[in-house]
Amino acid sequence: MTDSTSTSTDAVLDRARFGADGLLPAVVQEESSKDVLMLGYMDREALRRTLTEGRVTFWSRSRNEYWRKGDTSGHAQYVRGAAFDCDADTLLVTVEQVGAACHTGAHRCFDVDPLDPVTATAPTSTVASAPASGAVEATR
């Protein structure tokens, strides 16, 4: 790793807002399908490894150790992109998924236990284009 890469990685790590437990939720999305595959947690070191090694690394809350998807199963996640949310307290990692993402063998962890919520239709948009001044009007 070059000094500039190290410096930029350190700057990213400093921007991350880890929870009181020292962890950052990481949503993993498949690049090709845009499917949300799973949710894992990263501490500072897991985030550093993910950003610098090209493979997704998590902190296992149950085993209290690092784990890299695919090291034992062969179902690996290769990093294609990463972004913080607006508060830098959640990470989205875009990956090329090889094999199943879920430890159950399902492609997505969210395929395992689907729920049947009541659904609703969004009302027709009432948001007009922003005023010429660029200000955004709040609606209540």
Side-chain angles (χ1 to χ4, degrees):
M1 173 171 28
T2 66
D3 286 341
S4 63
T5 302
S6 177
T7 301
S8 62
T9 300
D10 288 342
V12 170
L13 294 171
D14 289 343
R15 285 186 19 234
R17 295 185 53 204
F18 297 94
D21 57 3
L23 299 176
L24 178 76
V27 176
V28 178
Q29 180 183 41
E30 187 171 40
E31 180 183 44
S32 61
S33 68
K34 304 301 183 208
D35 285 347
V36 174
L37 300 175
M38 60 175 289
L39 171 72
Y41 293 88
M42 297 180 182
D43 66 0
R44 186 179 176 95
E45 177 61 16
L47 178 56
R48 185 196 65 73
R49 291 180 188 186
T50 299
L51 295 174
T52 61
E53 296 176 1
R55 295 272 308 276
V56 182
T57 300
F58 299 101
W59 175 256
S60 171
R61 297 174 300 162
S62 59
R63 296 187 310 259
N64 289 320
E65 64 184 18
Y66 295 104
W67 62 280
R68 194 168 68 169
K69 181 61 88 172
D71 281 351
T72 57
S73 68
H75 300 167
Q77 295 173 336
Y78 296 93
V79 176
R80 295 294 177 253
F84 286 129
D85 72 341
C86 56
D87 297 319
D89 62 0
T90 303
L91 181 70
L92 174 65
V93 184
T94 306
V95 302
E96 177 183 340
Q97 178 69 44
V98 175
C102 186
H103 72 279
T104 66
H107 179 66
R108 305 176 311 159
C109 291
F110 300 101
D111 291 338
V112 177
D113 190 11
L115 306 177
D116 189 22
V118 172
T119 60
T121 302
T124 304
S125 177
T126 58
V127 177
S129 59
S133 67
V136 177
E137 295 180 24
T139 57
R140 293 189 191 257

